[in-house]
Amino acid sequence: MRWMSSKTKQLIQDFTDVNEGEKAIMILWNCFILPIRPLADHMVPGLVLKFVQEHGPEIVSRGLINNFILHLTNLHCFGLLTASQLEEAALNIYAIQEEIPA
């Protein structure tokens, strides 16, 4: 499994049409989701909330909140999150931001 994570990082780093923040979020998300292997779309909202719990402080400290919100928006556009689920995840990341001193 470790080799898959390394290969995923390498492939994402090779993208030329996304910025470094987008790459960072994609790498975090893919490395988070890879060992879980969700079986159905209905699992995604819960996994997003778990991702925020586990990686929220890193997302905030690395200045990736806007990129994360874009990721949530993409999940919504593909029908994997409802608007209220997107809002819940966004509010959770903003709450973490409030907890971390600037």
Side-chain angles (χ1 to χ4, degrees):
M1 188 68 75
R2 185 146 171 82
W3 70 269
M4 287 178 65
S5 180
S6 295
K7 187 64 174 174
T8 296
K9 290 177 187 177
Q10 178 187 10
L11 290 172
I12 291 171
Q13 287 298 340
D14 289 344
F15 290 168
T16 58
D17 59 343
V18 295
N19 68 44
E20 292 303 314
E22 290 170 310
K23 289 178 186 180
I25 288 293
M26 285 190 276
I27 288 169
L28 278 175
W29 175 254
N30 286 352
C31 289
F32 168 78
I33 209 80
L34 191 61
I36 297 170
R37 297 184 181 184
L39 299 175
D41 292 353
H42 76 273
M43 296 174 68
V44 172
L47 291 172
V48 167
L49 295 177
K50 184 176 179 184
F51 178 75
V52 170
Q53 287 176 337
E54 291 183 18
H55 295 282
E58 180 179 359
I59 291 167
V60 170
S61 67
R62 291 178 63 187
L64 299 172
I65 292 176
N66 290 337
N67 298 104
F68 178 65
I69 300 299
L70 177 62
H71 177 68
L72 295 177
T73 303
N74 284 329
L75 293 174
H76 173 68
C77 288
F78 283 98
L80 298 172
L81 289 180
T82 65
S84 62
Q85 291 165 335
L86 186 156
E87 180 183 30
E88 181 181 5
L91 290 173
N92 286 352
I93 199 76
Y94 291 131
I96 292 169
Q97 183 182 34
E98 291 295 319
E99 295 171 4
I100 296 177

